[in-house]
Amino acid sequence: MITALGNYSENVLTRLFATSSAEEPSARTAADSNQSPGINGLIQDVIEISPEAQSLLEAEQAKDTALEERIRYLEQFRPTREGFSARNLALGIADPSAQPFSQERPFEEVATAARENLDAKYAAMKESGEPYNRNGNEGTDNHSLFGDLDRRALFAVASNEGGQFTEDEQSTARDIMRGQQGMAMGLYHGPTRLIGQYTEGLGADQERTSKAGINYLDQVSLEEKATDIEWAHQRAAVQNNYENQVEARGGIAENTTSGHPLVALIRSAFDWGMVQRGNIEDADDLRRQEWFAPFADRLDQTIAETRELYGVEV
């Protein structure tokens, strides 16, 4: 991650060793408050970084270092074939807003790039003599196949953006995304043999687990928030559970409302019950829930309002 302050620092370091002009030393004096004799006797600019800016820079560097360490730690739970990487899948746990693959490109371009990337991975596996196996041990081939995709690109596959992904690809991408959310909430999702290496579990502390879920889901891409029914259901569920857990201990819950119309509607419906019938991945799944029945007639309009809020066409 390169921060604006980091860029500023790099420019400063560059200028410290750059000459300001081709003039001879005699043309300008070293008594100039912002200049001093430089390499080969030429004049160079001297720029001082304030203590405050230096502290901010050091804090950003420490943050980046901590993130890299966490990515390396999480990557072990996403094993791959030799020569493949799951770094971006691990990054999607630590920071779902990061876009090393998507790079802020239009969503349709992200989907096209994801399609090309998957095809290249299929070809590489086939060329190795061991074609892709979706049901392989520990999900190794799935991690190898999707390993370059950040959270936003995974959603492009899961939502079948552009109609160019198979049902198996959509389902696998969705499963990987669920695993990312689970791990971010302190709920282990990985190879059984490595469960002893997992040190971020929150155990039975549902209040902390739910709060972690809120923080995680609030960082995902605009497209996921705007169009994904499962995201809205999950966001409402973790908010509801967090509020209930705080109330149960007699505390006062933080305000975790998201301003998301569909999340608000589903959260209101939870007051009628939460017995879930099957997965909730789309609007039809939501309509089938008994607890949502009193709100079903408002669903289509709320979905439209949500997409309008995020600037996504219905």
Side-chain angles (χ1 to χ4, degrees):
M1 183 191 307
I2 299 177
T3 64
L5 186 55
N7 287 333
Y8 169 76
S9 177
E10 289 182 5
N11 290 336
V12 168
L13 293 175
T14 300
R15 292 182 63 188
L16 284 174
F17 292 98
T19 58
S20 61
S21 72
E23 298 179 64
E24 292 298 322
S26 59
R28 304 174 70 179
T29 69
D32 229 327
S33 61
N34 292 323
Q35 296 174 329
S36 65
I39 300 172
N40 297 326
L42 297 178
I43 300 298
Q44 67 181 18
D45 289 336
V46 177
I47 300 175
E48 294 185 0
I49 302 177
S50 71
E52 293 80 5
Q54 182 65 35
S55 295
L56 285 173
L57 177 58
E58 291 173 356
E60 285 294 332
Q61 291 173 336
K63 183 179 178 181
D64 290 348
T65 298
L67 177 61
E68 287 301 320
E69 290 177 352
R70 186 157 187 251
I71 292 170
R72 286 194 295 271
Y73 162 75
L74 292 169
E75 193 173 0
Q76 69 181 307
F77 304 111
R78 299 292 180 264
T80 64
R81 292 188 183 195
E82 185 175 355
F84 289 77
S85 170
R87 183 186 187 282
N88 285 350
L89 298 186
L91 175 60
I93 300 171
D95 181 6
S97 68
Q99 295 192 27
F101 183 89
S102 298
Q103 299 179 341
E104 306 292 343
R105 291 176 290 183
F107 200 47
E108 59 271 19
E109 291 184 14
V110 174
T112 299
R115 177 70 273 163
E116 294 172 351
N117 186 271
L118 295 181
D119 288 342
K121 295 292 185 63
Y122 283 129
M125 292 184 196
K126 184 175 182 180
E127 186 176 345
S128 74
E130 296 182 28
Y132 165 74
N133 178 9
R134 183 181 183 227
N135 300 311
N137 186 43
E138 297 185 341
T140 297
D141 278 11
N142 293 334
H143 304 145
S144 301
L145 179 65
F146 289 89
D148 290 342
L149 305 189
D150 53 38
R151 175 85 182 190
R152 185 171 177 236
L154 283 172
F155 182 63
V157 178
S159 61
N160 197 23
E161 173 66 23
Q164 52 194 317
F165 302 100
T166 68
E167 290 186 3
D168 280 349
E169 289 169 342
Q170 295 170 53
S171 178
T172 302
R174 180 74 65 179
D175 286 343
I176 291 173
M177 293 170 67
R178 289 170 181 156
Q180 289 177 326
Q181 178 186 337
M183 292 283 277
M185 293 173 64
L187 306 172
Y188 184 69
H189 187 282
T192 303
R193 65 180 173 84
L194 294 174
I195 193 169
Q197 302 297 317
Y198 186 60
T199 60
E200 297 185 345
L202 299 180
D205 191 339
Q206 293 190 42
E207 182 179 327
R208 289 179 62 201
T209 297
S210 298
K211 188 65 182 300
I214 291 170
N215 292 337
Y216 181 81
L217 291 170
D218 282 351
Q219 297 180 68
V220 304
S221 68
L222 178 150
E223 291 86 5
E224 189 173 347
K225 291 178 180 178
T227 64
D228 193 26
I229 300 295
E230 181 169 350
W231 178 89
H233 173 258
Q234 284 292 311
R235 180 57 174 78
V238 292
Q239 176 184 334
N240 182 71
N241 195 46
Y242 166 71
E243 292 168 349
N244 288 343
Q245 294 299 317
V246 175
E247 181 180 348
R249 65 171 172 79
I252 299 176
E254 296 178 28
N255 181 3
T256 57
T257 56
S258 63
H260 190 285
L262 185 54
V263 170
L265 182 68
I266 297 173
R267 170 65 188 83
S268 297
F270 283 157
D271 291 335
W272 290 76
M274 289 183 62
V275 179
Q276 185 170 317
R277 303 278 191 267
N279 289 333
I280 297 178
E281 298 180 11
D282 56 34
D284 288 339
D285 291 337
L286 198 52
R287 289 189 180 93
R288 282 193 285 269
Q289 307 302 313
E290 292 181 8
W291 50 266
F292 192 74
F295 299 82
D297 60 345
R298 297 163 55 186
L299 181 57
D300 289 341
Q301 180 59 36
T302 304
I303 289 174
E305 291 173 2
T306 299
R307 294 189 174 191
E308 182 179 359
L309 175 67
Y310 287 93
V312 175
E313 293 183 4
V314 180

